[in-house]
Amino acid sequence: MLLEWRNIYAWLRRHSSISLWAARTAEYLEIAEAKLIDNEQFVEGTLTMFSGFPFGHDRPFTYLEGKRVLELAMGDLRLRRDLREKLGINPKAPGRPAITGRRSDAVWDFLSLTRAGQMENFTNYPHLTLGVVAKAVEVMVTVPNAINSTVRRNLIELGETGFSSLTSAIVRNLKPVLRKCPGAAPWGRGVQRRYPSQRATPFIDARIDFDLRTAVPQSGSPKMQPRWLSAAYNSFVHKAGANYQMQMGVLFLYDRCPQLREADALDLVAEAWVACKPLVDLARQGARHRSG
C-alpha cells in the first residue's frame, strides 16, 4: 500500500490535540511545504492537506503560510461538484499564474466562470475570488474593471433598483451561512486602482467597504443605509475611464468565525459563493446572449 505524506499529515493533525509530538511534526510539514511552494519546487502532490484557515490572534497571518493554505483550499474547491453544477465553474481553467506579494498582508486566487474552450483573460469575466488576508477570509464574486461589454451592459440595464433587488436576493440566500457562522458578514466592495506600471503594486485611489445588509430593509443591526450600495453601483455605471471593480460575497473574520479552523470550512466558502448565484447568473445571461 502506498502511503502519501498528506495521509500521514492527516493522522498527525487528528492526534495533535493529545500529542505534542504529533502537533510539532504536523507543523514541520506545514513549514516545509510552504517553503517548497514558495520556491516552486512542487511538481505535483502535497505534503499536507487542507485542515482549515489557521490564523487568528494566537497565530498571525504570514505570507508563506497564507500561500500554502490558499493553494490547498483552491485545489479542493476546484473539485467540488456543487460549484460545477450550481455556478458552472471551469475547473480546468487556470487561476492566477503566480501568487505574488511577499510583503503583502494578503494572498488571493480565483476560480474561472468562463466556459470550456473560451480563451478570455480572466479580467474580462466575473470570477470567484478567495482571499486569505491578515484579518479574514474573503469569499467574493468579482466584477473586474475590464469586464466584457455584454455583462457590463446587463449590469447597467438592471438599474439601481434592479441591482438593489439582486443584492436583497443574495442577502436572503446567505442566511443559512450566517446561521452556521454568526460572525460572518455579507460584504460589498468597490475599489478604484491606478497602476504605475503593469506589474507594479497599484495605488488605491478610492475604496468602499460595506455590509450588504445595509441595503436591505430589516429589523435589528446593521441599520439600513442604501447609499453605500448606491455609491458602489453608480461608481461602476459612471466610472468614466477609472479602473474600478466591484465585489459581493462574505467576509469571515478569523476572531469571529472559529469555524474557519475546521477542515469543513470550505463548505462555508462554497455555500457563500453559491448564495451569490444571482450575480453569477447575470454573467451567464450575458455569455449566452453574446455567443448567440
Side-chain angles (χ1 to χ4, degrees), residues 4-219:
E4 297 183 346
W5 278 110
R6 58 186 281 119
N7 301 123
I8 297 173
Y9 172 81
W11 183 91
L12 292 167
R13 270 290 161 223
R14 285 197 301 271
H15 293 82
S16 60
S17 61
I18 58 174
S19 169
L20 181 60
W21 173 85
R24 287 183 174 176
T25 306
E27 289 172 4
Y28 173 82
L29 290 176
E30 291 167 356
I31 294 169
E33 182 175 63
K35 290 181 177 179
L36 289 170
I37 290 173
D38 189 50
N39 294 330
E40 299 181 350
Q41 291 180 274
F42 265 130
V43 177
E44 60 180 347
T46 62
L47 293 179
T48 70
M49 61 175 56
F50 181 82
S51 58
F53 300 96
F55 306 115
H57 67 277
D58 59 336
R59 188 168 176 176
F61 171 91
T62 65
Y63 165 78
L64 283 181
E65 181 69 354
K67 185 176 179 180
R68 181 189 75 84
V69 172
L70 177 65
E71 292 207 6
L72 291 170
M74 295 302 292
D76 286 354
L77 289 165
R78 288 180 188 281
L79 301 176
R80 289 189 67 109
R81 183 175 178 179
D82 52 354
L83 295 180
R84 294 197 309 272
E85 294 184 349
K86 295 180 180 179
L87 297 182
I89 68 163
N90 183 351
K92 295 183 179 180
R96 294 182 69 191
I99 309 299
T100 57
R102 180 180 293 274
R103 294 183 178 87
S104 174
D105 61 355
V107 291
W108 65 274
D109 204 351
F110 69 92
L111 296 177
S112 175
L113 293 171
T114 58
R115 298 185 186 279
Q118 286 182 321
M119 299 302 292
E120 289 181 292
N121 188 304
F122 79 94
T123 59
N124 298 140
Y125 209 79
H127 46 270
L128 309 183
T129 305
L130 179 63
V132 181
V133 305
K135 301 295 184 182
V137 172
E138 299 180 349
V139 182
M140 299 289 188
V141 176
T142 299
V143 180
N145 171 67
I147 191 73
N148 68 71
S149 60
T150 305
V151 178
R152 175 173 168 77
R153 182 173 62 248
N154 282 0
L155 275 166
I156 292 174
E157 288 178 352
L158 266 184
E160 188 173 329
T161 300
F163 193 70
S164 178
S165 297
L166 181 147
T167 302
S168 295
I170 289 174
V171 171
R172 285 195 303 272
N173 292 347
L174 282 170
K175 287 183 178 180
V177 175
L178 301 186
R179 282 195 292 268
K180 294 176 183 178
C181 187
W187 210 249
R189 175 177 295 146
V191 182
Q192 179 176 315
R193 295 183 174 91
R194 174 167 43 95
Y195 290 84
S197 63
Q198 187 174 8
R199 289 188 170 273
T201 301
F203 294 102
I204 303 299
D205 293 328
R207 173 169 170 152
I208 180 171
D209 278 280
F210 58 100
D211 191 313
L212 291 175
R213 290 170 293 189
T214 59
V216 179
Q218 61 178 2
S219 58

Side-chain angles (χ1 to χ4, degrees), residues 212-229:
L212 291 175
R213 290 170 293 189
T214 59
V216 179
Q218 61 178 2
S219 58
S221 298
K223 296 296 184 182
M224 188 176 180
Q225 176 48 276
R227 289 181 178 84
W228 298 122
L229 182 68

